[in-house]
Amino acid sequence: MCGIVGFLGRNRHGDGAGFTTLLEKMAFAIQSRGPDDFGSWADERHAIGLGHRRLSIIDLSPAGHQPMPSASGRYQIAYNGEVYNHLDIRAELEAAGLAPAWRGHSDTETLLAGFDAWGIEATVRKAIGMFAFGVWDQQTHVLTLGRDRLGEKPLYYGWQGKGADAAFLFGSELKALREHPQFRGCVSRAALTLYCRSNYIPAPYSIYEGIYKLLPGALLEISHDRPDPKIWQYWSVAGAVATGKANPFAGTAEQAVDELDRLLKDAVRQQMVADVPLGAFLSGGVDSSTIVALMQVQSKRPVKTFTIGFNEARFNEAEHAKAVARHLGTEHSELYVTSEQARNVIPGLPQLYDEPFADSSQIPTFLVSQLARQHVTVALSGDGGDELFCGYQRYSLAAAIWRRVAMAPRPLRKAVALGLAGIPVSSWNVMAGLASPVLPARLRGLNWGDKIHKGAALVSSTSASDLYGSLLTLWRDPASMVIGGAVPPAWLDEELPAVGEVDDMSRMMAWDMLSYLPDDILTKVDRAAMGVSLETRVPMLDHRVLEFAWRMPQAMKVRDSQAKWPLRQVLYRYVPKDLIERPKMGFAVPIGEWLRGPLKAWAEELLSESRLERDGYFHVGLVRQKWNEHQSGLRNWEHHLWNVLMFNAWADHWLN
C-alpha cells in the first residue's frame, strides 16, 4: 500500500530539477500512506512527473522501489495497491515466453511486464486486487490512470491553472494536489450539495471545482495532443449485476454455499500474502467473523485480531468479538475506549479526511486502525458483506413500505403526504403524548412527529428506488440548504438502468455498491487506516466473489426472513451459531449526546450565526433551527448537525 502523485504540464520544456522538488513536496503531504520510501521520476521534455510514497508490504528490497520502469523501458509507473494474483500472472507470462528477467518479486514489476506483453487494459482485466496507478507511455506520450473495480483505493485528478502554466494533477489524496502551485481550491457548491444529501461526496465529484475522483473500474487517458481526458470502464458493478441476473446459479442452496466457501477461502488465502505482520479487524458480527474464520483455518499460527470496546453497552460488541476469537483461537487484542478518548480523535479528522466526510463511525474506525497498527502492517476487514448479501435492514424495510404505498393511487398518496407534513412536528408529539397511556410500552417515548414527517416523504415516492433514495437522504432538500447549491447530474442515473430488470431489493443493493460502498465505507476505512500507515484488505470485494453473489437468487440471500443466509451458512461451518445470532449493532458513537454535553461549546462555535454568515455556505436559519431544537431535546438532529460541523471543521483546517 502506498501513495501516488503526479502531474502533466502544458509547458513541454520544464525544469527537471524543479519537478523533483515539487514531486517530493506533493508526496510528503501523504507520507503516512508510505513512510518507508520516497521516489520520483520526471521527463522535463514532456512536462511529466510521477512521485511515490512506499509502505513496503511485498518485496521489501530496493527491487520494489517506485516509480518503476518496465523491462522494455516503455512504461513508468507510480502504483498504489496489491494485485493478489500477480504470481499467477507471472506464471502466465513465463508460459507464453513473455516474461522479462525478473529483478524482484513485487506485483508492481508483474504489472509492468503485463503492460509490455499485453497492454495496460488487458493486464488490468487479469488483475485481482485493489489498486490505483499512473502510467506514462514513453512511446506514445500518453498518461494512463487506473482504479480497481470496487474503488478500494482512491484517485483524484483534474486540470488546474490557466494557459501555458496549467497542469493536469493526480494523486491518492487531495492534500497532495494542494501542494502544486497551480492548485486553486475553489469549493464546488454542487459537490457541497451532494455532501449535505449523503454525508459524503460521491464520485466522480470532489469538494473542489475542476478536481474529480476516477470512478471504480475505470481507466483514463490524457496527453498533450488530447488534453480532454478519455475515460472508460473496463469493469462495472452494473455489468456484473446484469450478467449475474442473466446467468443465475442453477444449483442447490447447499451447492451455492459450497461455492461461496471456496471462493471466499481463496480470496482470503491470496490476501494473506505479505512480507510483514498481518491481522484482521474482528467485531464479532457475521462479516468479520467469516473472514477471520477463513484466515485461521488456513494459517499455521494464531491470527492476530483487533477489536475496540466501549463501556456503554449499547455500543459495545467487544464481548461478542472476544467469544468468537476464543473459539477460533486467535491472538486477540482489544481496547476499551472512553468517551473522552473517542472525542479526542475529532480535532484530527479534517487532516485525516481531507475532503468533507461525516460518517461518525469514522471515529471508532480510526481507533481500531490505530490499535491494529501497534501490532501489524496489514489488516483484513469484512466490509462488503451487507451490500453483497442483503445485510442492511433498510433493504427489506424500503421494499415492504413500497409494496404498501404503491397500492394507493399517487394523487391520493401526495395529498396524504401534504396533510401529514402540514402538521408541525411539535403538534404530532403533543398528540402522541396525550395518547401515551393507551399505547403499548414499546411505542411510548418515541419522537412520533419526526417519524411521521419522514413517513410523509416516503408516501409521496414514485418508485421503490425513489423511496430508497429518500431513506438515504440526510437533508431533505439539500439544494435549499446550501447557498447557491444545486444537485448535479448523478452517474448513478446512468448506471442503474444498466442493471436491468431486477427486484427492488437487488436494485437497492446495486445502488449502494455503486456509491455508498466506495464513497463512504471504503473511503472511511482507507483514510483511517492509511492515516496510521496500515494497509487494509477486503476479501469480500474480490470481484469473483461479487460476481458469484450476483448470480445467487435473491430468495437465497434472504431466506426464512434471515438476511445474508449463504454467508451465515459458510460461517457456521467454523463458528457455532449461538456465538453469532444476535441483533446487528452499528459501529456508532453517541454523537447526539455529546453535542448536548462535552461537545456543545465546540459545536456552538462552529455553528454560530456570525460564523455561518461569514462563510456563506449554509442558510443560517436552517442550521440554527436544528441546533436549537437539538439542544432543547425537541428533535434529534445529530446526523444533520454532524454533517455541517464536519464541513466547517474541514474548512477551518484547509480553507482558512
Side-chain angles (χ1 to χ4, degrees):
M1 192 70 65
C2 308
I4 63 172
V5 301
F7 54 80
L8 178 67
R10 285 196 184 277
N11 186 347
R12 302 192 193 204
H13 302 285
D15 175 5
F19 282 10
T20 300
T21 301
L22 178 54
L23 288 165
E24 185 172 5
K25 187 177 180 183
M26 293 174 69
F28 184 77
I30 55 172
Q31 184 178 15
S32 67
R33 299 190 76 91
D36 298 329
D37 190 20
F38 163 74
S40 66
W41 173 87
D43 181 350
E44 61 271 23
R45 296 169 302 168
H46 297 97
I48 177 71
L50 305 176
H52 188 264
R53 292 287 335 185
R54 186 183 183 195
L55 177 61
S56 301
I57 301 294
I58 293 177
D59 193 348
L60 311 186
S61 74
H65 178 79
Q66 293 188 51
M68 184 184 291
S70 67
S72 70
R74 176 174 176 176
Y75 297 103
Q76 282 279 351
I77 191 172
Y79 157 72
N80 165 32
E82 305 289 351
V83 173
Y84 304 121
N85 66 328
H86 87 96
L87 293 179
D88 296 333
I89 294 175
R90 284 196 175 203
E92 184 178 351
L93 286 164
E94 290 166 356
L98 297 172
W102 301 111
R103 293 165 285 178
H105 63 273
S106 74
D107 55 338
T108 312
E109 188 180 1
T110 305
L111 274 180
L112 286 167
F115 295 169
D116 273 341
W118 303 310
I120 294 173
E121 181 173 357
T123 302
V124 169
R125 287 179 178 274
K126 294 176 184 287
I128 299 171
M130 56 176 184
F131 47 80
F133 59 76
V135 179
W136 177 250
D137 187 333
Q138 300 199 82
Q139 180 176 307
T140 63
H141 304 143
V142 171
L143 174 66
T144 301
L145 305 184
R147 194 176 180 200
D148 64 69
R149 292 171 178 84
L150 275 301
E152 291 185 55
K153 292 298 102 188
L155 189 56
Y156 293 87
Y157 70 90
W159 282 101
Q160 294 282 278
K162 296 180 179 179
D165 293 329
F168 179 83
L169 313 179
F170 70 90
S172 298
E173 294 184 33
L174 288 172
K175 56 175 67 79
L177 276 59
R178 290 187 185 102
E179 296 299 325
H180 195 282
Q182 296 304 317
F183 184 80
R184 295 296 176 261
C186 299
V187 171
S188 165
R189 301 283 171 148
L192 181 55
T193 304
L194 290 174
Y195 166 77
C196 287
R197 183 177 71 181
S198 303
N199 267 342
Y200 59 86
I201 298 172
Y205 302 100
S206 88
I207 191 59
Y208 295 119
E209 292 181 1
I211 300 295
Y212 303 94
K213 301 181 183 86
L214 188 62
L215 292 174
L219 293 170
L220 176 154
E221 286 184 352
I222 193 167
S223 66
H224 290 292
D225 297 330
R226 192 175 60 206
D228 291 329
K230 174 189 174 185
I231 303 172
W232 72 99
Q233 287 189 271
Y234 64 89
W235 187 94
S236 71
V237 167
V241 173
T243 299
K245 293 298 182 180
N247 301 277
F249 181 73
T252 66
E254 185 65 25
Q255 288 170 334
V257 174
D258 288 342
E259 179 63 4
L260 180 59
D261 191 349
R262 185 190 70 80
L263 287 169
L264 276 173
K265 194 174 291 180
D266 189 57
V268 168
R269 177 188 61 80
Q270 288 189 340
Q271 297 194 25
M272 289 175 68
V273 176
D275 295 335
V276 292
L278 175 142
F281 299 140
L282 178 61
S283 70
V286 172
D287 303 341
S288 65
S289 297
T290 301
I291 297 304
V292 171
L294 294 176
M295 291 176 72
Q296 191 58 71
V297 78
Q298 300 180 91
S299 177
K300 296 178 180 178
R301 59 180 64 89
V303 171
K304 297 177 186 292
T305 53
F306 307 97
T307 298
I308 288 291
F310 295 93
N311 293 313
E312 298 91 342
R314 61 196 170 107
F315 297 109
N316 186 43
E317 288 188 300
E319 287 302 314
H320 304 297
K322 183 188 290 184
V324 172
R326 186 182 301 117
H327 174 80
L328 292 173
T330 71
E331 183 182 325
H332 192 58
S333 298
E334 63 180 16
L335 174 67
Y336 272 78
V337 177
T338 66
S339 290
E340 183 179 6
Q341 286 174 306
R343 291 193 302 272
N344 287 341
V345 172
I346 294 172
L349 292 177
Q351 171 67 22
L352 195 65
Y353 294 86
D354 63 348
E355 187 171 48
F357 185 79
D359 181 339
S360 59
S361 62
Q362 62 200 131
I363 297 171
T365 301
F366 174 78
L367 289 167
V368 74
S369 298
Q370 194 175 55
L371 169 65
R373 188 61 179 93
Q374 296 171 19
H375 305 271
V376 299
T377 311
V378 178
L380 275 61
S381 87
D383 291 316
D386 287 314
E387 292 82 1
L388 277 177
F389 299 102
C390 207
Y392 292 128
Q393 261 190 337
R394 61 179 183 249
Y395 297 144
S396 55
L397 174 65
I401 293 173
W402 174 246
R403 282 195 299 271
R404 289 163 175 77
V405 165
M407 295 172 67
R410 185 151 190 263
L412 175 60
R413 290 190 273 119
K414 195 170 183 180
V416 170
L418 287 172
L420 293 173
I423 300 175
V425 167
S426 57
S427 298
W428 282 117
N429 285 339
V430 169
M431 288 186 278
L434 294 173
S436 181
V438 299
L439 290 175
R442 63 188 175 83
L443 298 180
R444 297 172 192 167
L446 299 177
N447 193 328
W448 278 106
D450 194 22
K451 293 182 181 300
I452 290 170
H453 271 230
K454 287 181 179 178
L458 301 181
V459 166
S460 61
S461 300
T462 59
S463 66
S465 293
D466 183 38
L467 187 148
Y468 189 61
S470 295
L471 277 178
L472 297 184
T473 296
L474 184 64
W475 289 88
R476 190 168 299 161
D477 184 6
S480 68
M481 167 65 181
V482 177
I483 297 172
V487 178
W491 78 289
L492 286 175
D493 296 336
E494 299 176 2
E495 286 293 302
L496 281 175
V499 167
E501 293 298 323
V502 297
D503 60 272
D504 290 336
M505 283 200 286
S506 292
R507 188 167 291 272
M508 296 171 201
M509 292 160 62
W511 181 313
D512 281 348
M513 295 210 76
L514 285 162
S515 184
Y516 176 68
L517 178 67
D519 297 322
D520 186 310
I521 301 299
L522 297 179
T523 295
K524 173 182 66 180
V525 175
D526 174 81
R527 302 305 191 280
M530 294 311 295
V532 293
S533 305
L534 175 74
E535 174 174 302
T536 50
R537 300 177 177 179
V538 191
M540 295 276 189
L541 298 186
D542 182 306
H543 71 277
R544 300 169 300 168
V545 175
L546 180 146
E547 289 169 355
F548 178 70
W550 279 107
R551 292 184 60 211
M552 288 185 187
Q554 186 66 19
M556 195 179 288
K557 294 178 183 177
V558 182
R559 185 167 172 173
D560 300 327
S561 300
Q562 189 176 56
K564 297 198 283 196
W565 183 85
L567 194 59
R568 291 175 188 272
Q569 305 318 303
V570 172
L571 176 58
Y572 298 155
R573 294 177 174 184
Y574 307 96
V575 176
K577 188 176 182 178
D578 59 2
L579 288 184
I580 301 298
E581 290 303 330
R582 63 182 186 278
K584 183 179 178 66
M585 295 176 66
F587 207 22
V589 288
I591 291 294
E593 298 171 19
W594 291 353
L595 291 178
R596 294 189 185 105
L599 292 181
K600 182 176 180 179
W602 168 78
E604 176 62 60
E605 183 177 349
L606 286 173
L607 300 179
S608 68
E609 288 189 32
S610 59
R611 160 66 188 262
L612 293 169
E613 288 173 353
R614 181 198 74 196
D615 291 353
Y617 290 112
F618 303 113
H619 287 286
V620 179
L622 291 175
V623 178
R624 292 300 302 179
Q625 177 188 358
K626 284 182 167 45
W627 174 247
N628 292 331
E629 288 179 352
H630 187 82
Q631 290 304 313
S632 70
L634 180 65
R635 305 283 293 273
N636 181 6
W637 294 118
E638 60 180 309
H639 300 301
H640 297 71
L641 294 169
W642 190 249
N643 178 270
V644 178
L645 286 165
M646 283 295 94
F647 175 82
N648 283 351
W650 172 87
D652 274 356
H653 187 85
W654 292 110
L655 301 181
N656 299 327

